[in-house]
Amino acid sequence: MATCVRLSTGAEMPLLGLGTWKSSAGQVKAAVMAAIDAGYRHLDCAYVYQNESEVGEGIQQKIKEGVVKREDLFIVSKLWCTFYDKPLVKGACQKTLTDLKLDYLDLYLMHWPLGFKAGEELFPADDKGMSVPGNTGMLDTWEAMEELVDCGLVKAIGISNFNHEQIERILNKPGLKYKPACNQIECHPYLTQEKLIKYCQSKGIAVTAYSPLGSPDRPWAKPEDPSLLDDPRIKEIAAKHKKTPAQVLIRFHIQRNVIVIPKSVTPQRIVENFKVFDFELTKEEMATILSFNRNWRACVLDMFKILKEYPFNAEY
C-alpha cells in the first residue's frame, strides 16, 4: 500500500504527517518526539503557530539519538501573510529554518492567498477588527518563493487555502519557474472538496488535508457546530473495522491519495492515528462518507472576508 505521494518535483511526500497547529509550547516537543518514534516522517509546521522552535528541539533530539537522519524527514512550513512583500520572504524563511534548526525545508507554502500589512502584528486589524491588507500581489510573492528554491533553502514550494481561480493565476503567470507542488486545504467529510481536489490532481498538484478530524479544539468552536468524531455514521463504519472514528477519518483521505495531517499532543493518539495502513474502507463506505458533505468549514476566518483575495467565496 502506498504511503507516499510523488510530487511534481519527483520528491516523495509521506501521506500521513503530524499537524502542529494549536499544539502549545510545553507540549509540542514531546509530541514531535512521540510521532517520530511512532513512525511519522512528515511534520507540518508554520511560522504563525508560534511553536517552531520547540518542534525543532524535538526533531534535533531524535536526530541526536540516531532514530532518524534529516534526509528521512519531510518538513513543511508556511510563509505567514505579513511577510508577502518580496524583500521579506527570504528572511521569514530563514527565521523558520533557524527556529526548526534545519538548513532546508522539504516544502514551503504560502499560508493564504492574501497578504497583510507588514509589521510585528501577526493579524493586523483596523478599528472594526477587519484585516489590513498588504500591497504585494500573490504573483510577486510567488516569484520570491521561487528564489528560495534556487538558493537551496527549500526543495519545493506550494500554497495553502487557494481556490482554483487563484491557482490558475499562478499556473498562467508569464515566466513561471516552478508550479506549486502542493495545495493544503481544509478537508473532511463535511467539506469533501471534490472539485478542488480533482482540479489540483489534474494539474499535478498534490493535496494536503488540514483539520481532517474537523478541528474539534479550534478556539472559536460553538456548541452547536457539527462534530465529526461524534457522528454516529462514522462511528458505525469504525466499529465495523474495529477502528476509531479518527482512524476512519484519516483513512478516508489516504484512499483519495490526499495527504493528511491530524494534530495531536497525546502520545497514545499520535500512535493510534498512524495505524491506518492495515485496513481499507470499501467503495460503498467511501461513497457514504463523501455523501456527508455539507460545505461546512471549521476555518472560515471572518476577519479576512473583506480582503479581495478571500478564497472561500468561489465555488471551489
Side-chain angles (χ1 to χ4, degrees), residues 95-270:
K95 167 80 171 99
T96 276
L97 286 168
T98 302
D99 285 348
L100 289 170
K101 300 155 206 42
L102 302 173
D103 48 19
Y104 70 90
L105 291 168
D106 295 278
L107 178 62
Y108 196 45
L109 309 177
M110 282 178 68
H111 207 143
W112 286 85
L114 34 91
F116 299 156
K117 189 183 85 167
E120 290 299 296
E121 282 181 61
L122 290 175
F123 294 91
D126 62 19
D127 47 15
K128 295 191 185 70
M130 299 311 264
S131 301
V132 181
N135 340 318
T136 305
M138 67 165 81
L139 296 181
D140 288 327
T141 307
W142 189 254
E143 285 177 5
M145 295 284 284
E146 292 178 322
E147 286 165 24
L148 301 176
V149 179
D150 290 336
C151 66
L153 293 180
V154 307
K155 302 264 192 203
I157 49 177
I159 51 187
S160 180
N161 299 300
F162 277 54
N163 64 39
H164 90 283
E165 293 157 10
Q166 293 165 328
I167 299 170
E168 279 288 297
R169 284 184 2 229
I170 291 188
L171 295 178
N172 295 330
K173 176 188 174 297
L176 180 73
K177 205 166 184 184
Y178 304 114
K179 73 176 189 183
C182 185
N183 187 18
Q184 184 177 128
I185 55 177
E186 179 180 344
C187 190
H188 44 71
Y190 296 158
L191 182 69
T192 51
Q193 298 273 28
E194 285 161 87
K195 285 187 171 169
L196 186 53
I197 289 172
K198 192 176 175 188
Y199 170 81
C200 289
Q201 292 178 339
S202 78
K203 299 288 183 189
I205 299 169
V207 177
T208 298
Y210 73 73
S211 300
L213 312 179
S215 193
D217 57 349
R218 63 194 180 284
W220 51 83
K222 300 186 201 70
E224 67 274 15
D225 285 345
S227 166
L228 267 169
L229 289 167
D230 298 319
D231 191 311
R233 302 166 301 179
I234 301 279
K235 284 179 161 173
E236 191 185 331
I237 292 171
K240 245 185 242 168
H241 290 277
K242 298 188 170 55
K243 289 288 181 181
T244 65
Q247 287 168 326
V248 167
L249 294 170
I250 294 165
R251 180 72 205 174
F252 165 69
H253 294 289
I254 288 172
Q255 286 185 215
R256 303 171 83 193
N257 214 29
V258 167
I259 300 148
V260 57
I261 46 171
K263 169 258 167 184
S264 179
V265 290
T266 314
Q268 179 201 338
R269 285 208 195 116
I270 289 171

Side-chain angles (χ1 to χ4, degrees), residues 58-75:
I59 294 169
Q60 282 314 308
Q61 181 66 36
K62 286 294 148 190
I63 290 175
K64 204 167 88 191
E65 288 173 15
V67 177
V68 283
K69 299 194 209 42
R70 166 63 185 99
E71 56 270 27
D72 301 331
L73 297 171
F74 194 99
I75 312 291

Side-chain angles (χ1 to χ4, degrees), residues 22-51:
K22 309 179 299 311
S23 299
S24 56
Q27 293 186 304
V28 75
K29 177 183 175 182
V32 164
M33 288 166 63
I36 291 173
D37 285 339
Y40 290 71
R41 295 296 176 261
H42 164 191
L43 301 171
D44 182 80
C45 317
Y47 175 83
V48 78
Y49 303 163
Q50 301 281 280
N51 59 9

